[in-house]
Amino acid sequence: MTSALRPLRLGLLSALVVSCASHPPAPEAPPTAPAAVKAAPEPVRLSVVGTNDLHGWVMPSRGSLADGTAVEQGGLATFAGYLSILRAENPDGVLLLDGGDLFQGTLASNLTEGAVVIDAMNTLGYVASALGNHEFDYGPVGPRSVAMEGDDPFGALKARITQARFPILGVNVTDAQTGVSPTWLGNTGTLLVERRGVKVGIVGLATPHTPEVTNPVNVASLRFAPLASSALAAATDLRARGAEVVIAIAHAGAVCKRQDDPRDISSCDRGDSEIIEMLEALPEGTLDAVVAGHTHQPVGHFVRGTPVIETSGRGRAFGLVELFVDPTTRKVLPERTTLQGSVPVCERVEATLGTCDERKLKDRNKVELVPATFRGQPVVADAALGTQLAGALAKVEQMQKRPLGVNVPAKLTRDYDAESPLGNVLADALNQLGMTGIAVINSGGLRADLPAGELTYGAVFEVLPFDNTLSIVTLTGAQLTKLLEGAYSRKGGTLQVAGLKVNLEQCNGVTRMVSVTKANGKPLEPNKLFQVAMPDFLARGGSGMDEVLKTLPPGSVNLGESQALTLRDALVEHWRKRGKPLVAPTPGRILRQRAATGCAVKASGRD
């Protein structure tokens, strides 16, 4: 207040005091109702439901606990029960999305080249799926999984894209000749939809490592651009087109050891967490949520404010992100965002722990199963979808249960990152089939443990679902050493071996090969030729082997293309003829030690 106005204000105040003192107070007016305050509009809720790496598991996974109790986890008919609860709770506000790898892994899926999966996903009402590396595995339509001359390498995938009532998105996938999105994808890798009046943009991303983790010949005509730059360009374009929320569905994921604090990503392995590396390279706020996949690991974390969800796959769980959009600013309210990284899909759960996850129940002496609930509502499997799937499953049940006349005395387990009993048994069998003296097989190709008991065709199929052939590669000792050095230095799983002894050194999650010898400890003569048996996936350059294989002289690689049997069926016939139990050999083929100094090799990739 200025000095000129202060005396005037004081004079008026004095006059008011005198006036009040000279006159009695007027009677109080009756109280009036306060003016109604208009309530602020509630934020718009969007429920993002994410699945990933279904791999054909339209049916539940079944297991048995220590007390003999049978448990089931997953199954799309049961998953539908969870969806119905969410959709009733948030009408028109649910976005059902998938992080890719829909096919490849079960007889039901492979015998129909994925048709049974797409039928079920259409029924469930998926909005979009990312393009996974295993979407390319079926190759041309028909029994061949690798395109030969005159074949369309995308034939089976094109049939599934035509069948789907939702797009399969890969914005970073381009045709090598034209440099643009392949016409057969039928989209540009993005989608714009509306939910509860909010315009939502969806970006699909495929891992740039796809050529290493599917049969390389099937994707030779494609290029896979880096994730971060592709996501930024696509998100910018979507917002320019009116998107108020942008969600990425990515067949790229993370590996995080801890799940207790969603805002702590210190336990996430940077060498095997493509999606975290991508988000750390993007400007904050580029994406409002991410549905990830590929690594088969539970993830429920905020990365620089962006919620990321991923499950272990096979339909055993789903992730959920609840986004709230300000109705005025049309922006996501980050303080309201919640996430659940992995909600188990159960029709019945253990009464105390509330889960059907066999891994969490295996050590309990007594288990009581009760009907599952979700958000206070009973989970009711979708009977119509169950009937729809039953027809497809009945066709393969007889094949799954077919006995092979071979006994497995003890369960043969796999290990993605280390020597395993199952890996040793399979490598030995490849060695015997190829009569080569040396064999290697990629751990990423082993998709299940082999249970104890009478061996069935279905059990073998779950272990080896890929239609590979037996290949023989001829290399010098020096070339074989270099091939193994490259294979062990990438994060693509440990190569299982027969006829060799490998010494590995590990530091900060990075592995390098220190030495390799014959099984008897004698060195590999550098100039001597060795024949190595392996799946054709490796012989074609999968798992990063192309750097060495492309330098070999013509005739060094026999891909086994003329073989009448797949590698899986050749192994079945081999075991049947032997008639001997499948017993794990003594371990010690792959030795690991911790390095005393830093690592020089950067690891990447995932099968």
Side-chain angles (χ1 to χ4, degrees), residues 51-63 72-76 79 98 100-106 126 294 296-297 311-318 345 358-359 414 446-449 458-459 461-463 465:
T51 57
N52 59 277
D53 298 284
L54 182 64
H55 284 290
W57 279 86
V58 295
M59 74 294 273
S61 300
R62 296 181 172 90
E72 290 188 353
Q73 184 175 2
L76 295 187
F79 176 48
D98 192 88
D101 272 6
L102 310 178
F103 319 130
Q104 185 62 273
T106 65
Y126 273 83
H294 191 47
H296 295 243
Q297 298 292 321
T311 76
S312 61
R314 290 176 49 166
R316 293 174 294 197
F318 65 93
V345 173
E358 182 184 357
R359 293 164 295 184
R414 60 191 172 128
L446 317 183
R447 309 304 278 198
D449 297 335
F461 194 96
E462 287 185 20
V463 171

Coordinates of all heavy atoms in Angstrom, one line a residue, residues 51-63 72-76 79 98 100-106 126 294 296-297 311-318 345 358-359 414 446-449 458-459 461-463 465:
T51 N -0.3 -59.5 -21.8 CA 0.3 -60.9 -21.8 C 1.5 -60.9 -22.7 O 1.7 -60.0 -23.5 CB -0.8 -61.9 -22.3 OG1 -1.3 -61.4 -23.6 CG2 -2.0 -61.9 -21.4
N52 N 2.2 -62.0 -22.7 CA 3.4 -62.1 -23.5 C 3.8 -63.6 -23.6 O 3.6 -64.4 -22.7 CB 4.5 -61.3 -23.0 CG 5.0 -61.6 -21.6 OD1 4.4 -61.2 -20.6 ND2 6.0 -62.4 -21.5
D53 N 4.5 -63.9 -24.7 CA 5.1 -65.2 -24.8 C 4.2 -66.4 -24.5 O 4.5 -67.3 -23.8 CB 6.4 -65.3 -23.9 CG 7.4 -64.3 -24.3 OD1 8.1 -64.5 -25.4 OD2 7.5 -63.2 -23.6
L54 N 3.0 -66.3 -25.2 CA 2.1 -67.4 -25.0 C 2.6 -68.7 -25.5 O 2.4 -69.8 -25.0 CB 0.8 -67.0 -25.7 CG -0.4 -68.0 -25.6 CD1 -0.9 -68.2 -24.2 CD2 -1.6 -67.6 -26.5
H55 N 3.3 -68.7 -26.7 CA 3.9 -69.9 -27.3 C 3.0 -71.0 -27.4 O 3.3 -72.2 -27.2 CB 5.1 -70.3 -26.4 CG 6.3 -69.5 -26.6 ND1 7.1 -69.4 -27.8 CD2 6.9 -68.5 -25.8 CE1 8.0 -68.5 -27.7 NE2 8.0 -68.0 -26.5
G56 N 1.7 -70.7 -27.8 CA 0.8 -71.8 -28.1 C 0.0 -72.4 -26.9 O -0.8 -73.3 -27.1
W57 N 0.3 -71.9 -25.7 CA -0.3 -72.5 -24.5 C -1.7 -72.0 -24.3 O -2.0 -71.2 -23.4 CB 0.6 -72.2 -23.3 CG 1.7 -73.2 -23.3 CD1 2.9 -73.1 -23.9 CD2 1.8 -74.5 -22.7 NE1 3.7 -74.2 -23.7 CE2 3.0 -75.1 -22.9 CE3 0.9 -75.2 -21.9 CZ2 3.4 -76.3 -22.5 CZ3 1.2 -76.4 -21.4 CH2 2.5 -77.0 -21.7
V58 N -2.6 -72.4 -25.2 CA -4.0 -72.0 -25.0 C -4.6 -72.8 -23.9 O -5.7 -72.5 -23.3 CB -4.8 -72.3 -26.3 CG1 -4.3 -71.4 -27.4 CG2 -4.7 -73.8 -26.8
M59 N -4.0 -74.0 -23.5 CA -4.5 -74.8 -22.4 C -3.6 -74.5 -21.2 O -2.6 -73.9 -21.3 CB -4.4 -76.3 -22.8 CG -2.9 -76.8 -22.8 SD -1.8 -76.1 -24.0 CE -2.2 -77.2 -25.3
P60 N -4.1 -74.9 -20.0 CA -3.3 -74.7 -18.8 C -2.0 -75.6 -18.7 O -2.0 -76.6 -19.3 CB -4.2 -75.0 -17.6 CG -5.2 -75.9 -18.2 CD -5.4 -75.5 -19.7
S61 N -1.0 -75.1 -18.0 CA 0.1 -75.9 -17.6 C -0.3 -76.8 -16.4 O -0.9 -76.2 -15.4 CB 1.3 -75.1 -17.3 OG 1.7 -74.3 -18.4
R62 N 0.1 -78.0 -16.4 CA -0.3 -78.9 -15.3 C 0.9 -79.4 -14.6 O 1.9 -79.7 -15.2 CB -1.1 -80.1 -15.8 CG -2.5 -79.7 -16.4 CD -3.3 -80.9 -16.9 NE -4.6 -80.5 -17.4 CZ -4.9 -80.1 -18.6 NH1 -4.0 -80.0 -19.5 NH2 -6.2 -79.7 -18.9
G63 N 0.8 -79.5 -13.3 CA 1.9 -80.0 -12.4 C 1.4 -80.8 -11.3 O 0.2 -80.9 -11.0
E72 N -3.1 -76.7 -11.7 CA -3.1 -76.1 -13.0 C -2.9 -74.6 -13.0 O -3.4 -73.9 -12.0 CB -4.5 -76.4 -13.7 CG -4.7 -77.8 -14.1 CD -5.9 -78.0 -14.9 OE1 -6.7 -77.0 -15.1 OE2 -6.1 -79.1 -15.4
Q73 N -2.2 -74.1 -13.9 CA -2.0 -72.6 -14.0 C -2.1 -72.2 -15.5 O -1.5 -72.9 -16.4 CB -0.6 -72.2 -13.5 CG -0.4 -70.7 -13.5 CD 0.9 -70.3 -12.8 OE1 1.7 -71.1 -12.4 NE2 1.1 -69.0 -12.7
G74 N -2.8 -71.1 -15.7 CA -3.0 -70.6 -17.1 C -4.2 -71.2 -17.8 O -5.1 -71.7 -17.1
G75 N -4.2 -71.1 -19.1 CA -5.3 -71.6 -19.9 C -6.2 -70.3 -20.2 O -6.5 -69.5 -19.4
L76 N -6.4 -70.2 -21.5 CA -7.1 -68.9 -22.0 C -8.6 -68.9 -21.5 O -9.1 -67.8 -21.4 CB -7.0 -68.8 -23.5 CG -5.6 -68.6 -24.0 CD1 -5.6 -68.3 -25.5 CD2 -4.9 -67.5 -23.3
F79 N -8.3 -67.4 -18.1 CA -7.9 -66.0 -18.3 C -9.1 -65.2 -18.6 O -9.2 -64.0 -18.2 CB -6.8 -65.9 -19.3 CG -6.4 -64.5 -19.7 CD1 -6.1 -63.6 -18.7 CD2 -6.3 -64.1 -21.0 CE1 -5.7 -62.3 -19.0 CE2 -5.9 -62.8 -21.3 CZ -5.6 -61.9 -20.3
D98 N -0.7 -57.7 -26.2 CA 0.3 -58.8 -26.1 C 1.6 -58.4 -26.6 O 1.8 -57.7 -27.5 CB -0.2 -60.0 -26.9 CG 0.6 -61.3 -26.5 OD1 0.2 -62.0 -25.6 OD2 1.6 -61.5 -27.2
G100 N 4.0 -60.4 -27.8 CA 4.6 -61.2 -28.9 C 5.0 -62.6 -28.5 O 5.0 -63.0 -27.4
D101 N 5.4 -63.4 -29.5 CA 5.6 -64.8 -29.5 C 4.3 -65.5 -29.1 O 4.2 -66.2 -28.1 CB 6.7 -65.1 -28.5 CG 8.1 -65.1 -29.1 OD1 8.2 -64.7 -30.3 OD2 9.1 -65.5 -28.5
L102 N 3.4 -65.4 -30.0 CA 2.1 -66.1 -29.9 C 2.1 -67.6 -30.1 O 1.4 -68.3 -29.5 CB 1.1 -65.4 -30.8 CG 1.0 -63.9 -30.9 CD1 0.0 -63.5 -31.9 CD2 0.6 -63.3 -29.5
F103 N 3.0 -68.0 -31.1 CA 3.0 -69.3 -31.5 C 4.2 -70.1 -31.1 O 5.0 -69.6 -30.3 CB 2.9 -69.4 -33.1 CG 2.0 -68.3 -33.7 CD1 2.4 -67.5 -34.7 CD2 0.7 -68.2 -33.2 CE1 1.6 -66.6 -35.3 CE2 -0.1 -67.3 -33.8 CZ 0.3 -66.4 -34.8
Q104 N 4.3 -71.3 -31.6 CA 5.5 -72.2 -31.4 C 5.7 -72.6 -30.0 O 6.2 -71.9 -29.2 CB 6.7 -71.4 -31.9 CG 8.0 -72.2 -31.9 CD 7.9 -73.4 -32.9 OE1 7.5 -74.5 -32.5 NE2 8.4 -73.3 -34.1
G105 N 5.4 -73.9 -29.7 CA 5.6 -74.4 -28.4 C 4.7 -75.5 -28.0 O 5.1 -76.3 -27.1
T106 N 3.6 -75.7 -28.6 CA 2.7 -76.8 -28.3 C 2.2 -77.5 -29.6 O 2.2 -76.9 -30.6 CB 1.4 -76.3 -27.5 OG1 0.6 -75.5 -28.4 CG2 1.8 -75.5 -26.3
Y126 N -8.5 -59.2 -28.2 CA -7.2 -58.5 -28.1 C -7.3 -57.3 -29.0 O -7.9 -57.3 -30.1 CB -6.1 -59.4 -28.6 CG -5.5 -60.2 -27.5 CD1 -6.1 -61.4 -27.0 CD2 -4.3 -59.8 -26.8 CE1 -5.5 -62.1 -26.0 CE2 -3.8 -60.5 -25.8 CZ -4.4 -61.7 -25.3 OH -3.9 -62.4 -24.3
H294 N 9.5 -61.5 -24.4 CA 10.8 -62.0 -24.9 C 11.7 -62.7 -23.9 O 12.2 -63.7 -24.1 CB 11.6 -61.0 -25.7 CG 12.7 -61.5 -26.5 ND1 12.6 -62.6 -27.3 CD2 14.0 -61.1 -26.6 CE1 13.8 -62.9 -27.9 NE2 14.6 -62.0 -27.5
H296 N 10.8 -63.7 -20.8 CA 10.1 -64.7 -20.0 C 10.3 -64.5 -18.5 O 10.5 -65.4 -17.7 CB 10.5 -66.1 -20.4 CG 10.1 -66.6 -21.7 ND1 9.2 -67.6 -22.0 CD2 10.4 -66.1 -23.0 CE1 9.1 -67.7 -23.3 NE2 9.8 -66.8 -23.9
Q297 N 10.4 -63.3 -18.1 CA 10.7 -62.9 -16.7 C 9.6 -62.0 -16.2 O 9.2 -61.1 -16.9 CB 12.0 -62.2 -16.6 CG 13.2 -63.0 -17.1 CD 13.5 -64.2 -16.2 OE1 13.4 -64.1 -14.9 NE2 13.8 -65.4 -16.7
T311 N 5.4 -61.0 -18.0 CA 5.2 -62.2 -17.2 C 6.2 -63.3 -17.7 O 6.9 -63.1 -18.7 CB 3.8 -62.7 -17.4 OG1 3.7 -63.4 -18.7 CG2 2.8 -61.6 -17.3
S312 N 6.1 -64.4 -17.0 CA 7.0 -65.6 -17.4 C 6.5 -66.3 -18.7 O 7.1 -67.2 -19.2 CB 7.1 -66.6 -16.3 OG 5.9 -67.1 -15.9
G313 N 5.3 -65.9 -19.1 CA 4.8 -66.4 -20.4 C 3.9 -67.7 -20.2 O 3.5 -68.1 -19.1
R314 N 3.6 -68.3 -21.4 CA 2.8 -69.5 -21.5 C 1.4 -69.4 -20.9 O 0.8 -70.3 -20.5 CB 3.5 -70.7 -20.8 CG 4.8 -71.2 -21.5 CD 5.5 -72.3 -20.8 NE 4.7 -73.4 -20.4 CZ 5.2 -74.5 -20.0 NH1 6.5 -74.8 -20.0 NH2 4.4 -75.5 -19.6
G315 N 0.9 -68.1 -20.9 CA -0.4 -67.9 -20.4 C -0.6 -68.1 -18.9 O -1.8 -68.1 -18.5
R316 N 0.4 -68.2 -18.2 CA 0.3 -68.5 -16.7 C 0.0 -67.3 -15.9 O -0.4 -67.4 -14.7 CB 1.6 -69.2 -16.2 CG 1.9 -70.6 -16.8 CD 3.2 -71.1 -16.5 NE 4.3 -70.3 -17.0 CZ 5.5 -70.8 -17.1 NH1 5.8 -72.0 -16.7 NH2 6.5 -70.0 -17.7
A317 N 0.1 -66.1 -16.5 CA -0.1 -64.9 -15.7 C -0.4 -63.8 -16.7 O -0.2 -63.9 -17.9 CB 1.1 -64.6 -14.8
F318 N -0.8 -62.6 -16.1 CA -1.0 -61.4 -16.9 C -0.5 -60.2 -16.1 O -0.5 -60.3 -14.9 CB -2.4 -61.2 -17.4 CG -3.4 -61.0 -16.3 CD1 -3.8 -59.7 -15.9 CD2 -4.0 -62.1 -15.7 CE1 -4.7 -59.5 -14.9 CE2 -5.0 -61.9 -14.7 CZ -5.3 -60.6 -14.3
V345 N -2.8 -66.8 -13.3 CA -4.1 -67.2 -13.8 C -4.4 -68.5 -13.2 O -3.8 -69.5 -13.6 CB -4.1 -67.2 -15.4 CG1 -5.3 -67.8 -15.9 CG2 -3.8 -65.8 -15.9
E358 N 3.0 -73.5 -9.3 CA 3.7 -74.7 -8.8 C 5.0 -74.5 -8.1 O 5.4 -75.1 -7.1 CB 3.9 -75.7 -10.0 CG 4.5 -77.1 -9.6 CD 4.7 -77.9 -10.8 OE1 4.4 -77.5 -11.9 OE2 5.3 -79.0 -10.6
R359 N 5.8 -73.5 -8.6 CA 7.1 -73.2 -8.1 C 7.0 -72.6 -6.7 O 7.9 -72.8 -5.9 CB 7.8 -72.2 -9.0 CG 8.1 -72.7 -10.4 CD 8.5 -71.7 -11.4 NE 7.3 -70.8 -11.7 CZ 7.3 -69.8 -12.5 NH1 8.4 -69.6 -13.2 NH2 6.2 -69.1 -12.7
R414 N 16.5 -78.6 -17.4 CA 17.2 -77.7 -18.3 C 17.7 -76.5 -17.5 O 17.3 -76.2 -16.4 CB 16.3 -77.2 -19.5 CG 15.1 -76.4 -19.0 CD 14.1 -76.2 -20.0 NE 12.9 -75.6 -19.4 CZ 12.3 -74.5 -19.8 NH1 12.8 -73.8 -20.9 NH2 11.2 -74.0 -19.2
L446 N 15.5 -75.5 -25.8 CA 15.0 -76.5 -24.9 C 13.9 -75.8 -24.1 O 14.2 -75.0 -23.2 CB 16.0 -77.1 -24.0 CG 17.4 -77.5 -24.7 CD1 18.3 -78.1 -23.7 CD2 17.1 -78.4 -25.9
R447 N 12.6 -76.1 -24.3 CA 11.5 -75.2 -23.8 C 10.8 -75.8 -22.6 O 9.9 -75.2 -22.1 CB 10.5 -75.0 -24.9 CG 11.1 -74.5 -26.2 CD 11.9 -73.2 -26.1 NE 11.1 -72.0 -26.0 CZ 11.6 -70.8 -26.2 NH1 12.9 -70.6 -26.5 NH2 10.8 -69.8 -26.1
A448 N 11.2 -77.0 -22.1 CA 10.6 -77.6 -20.9 C 11.6 -78.7 -20.4 O 12.5 -79.1 -21.1 CB 9.3 -78.2 -21.3
D449 N 11.4 -79.0 -19.1 CA 12.1 -80.2 -18.5 C 11.4 -81.4 -19.0 O 10.3 -81.5 -19.5 CB 12.0 -80.1 -17.0 CG 12.7 -78.9 -16.4 OD1 13.6 -78.3 -17.1 OD2 12.3 -78.5 -15.3
G458 N 4.4 -86.3 -26.5 CA 4.0 -84.9 -26.0 C 5.1 -84.3 -25.2 O 5.4 -83.1 -25.3
A459 N 5.7 -85.1 -24.3 CA 6.8 -84.6 -23.4 C 8.0 -84.2 -24.3 O 8.6 -83.1 -24.0 CB 7.1 -85.6 -22.4
F461 N 7.9 -83.3 -27.4 CA 7.5 -82.1 -28.1 C 7.6 -80.8 -27.3 O 8.0 -79.8 -27.8 CB 6.1 -82.2 -28.7 CG 5.7 -81.3 -29.7 CD1 5.8 -81.6 -31.1 CD2 5.3 -80.0 -29.4 CE1 5.5 -80.7 -32.1 CE2 5.0 -79.1 -30.4 CZ 5.1 -79.4 -31.7
E462 N 7.2 -80.9 -26.1 CA 7.3 -79.7 -25.2 C 8.8 -79.3 -25.0 O 9.1 -78.1 -24.9 CB 6.6 -79.9 -23.9 CG 5.1 -79.9 -24.0 CD 4.5 -80.1 -22.6 OE1 5.1 -79.8 -21.6 OE2 3.3 -80.5 -22.6
V463 N 9.7 -80.2 -25.0 CA 11.1 -79.9 -24.8 C 11.6 -79.3 -26.1 O 12.4 -78.3 -26.1 CB 11.9 -81.2 -24.5 CG1 13.4 -80.9 -24.6 CG2 11.5 -81.7 -23.1
P465 N 10.0 -78.1 -29.4 CA 8.8 -77.8 -30.3 C 9.2 -77.3 -31.7 O 8.4 -77.2 -32.5 CB 8.1 -76.7 -29.5 CG 9.2 -76.0 -28.8 CD 10.2 -77.0 -28.4

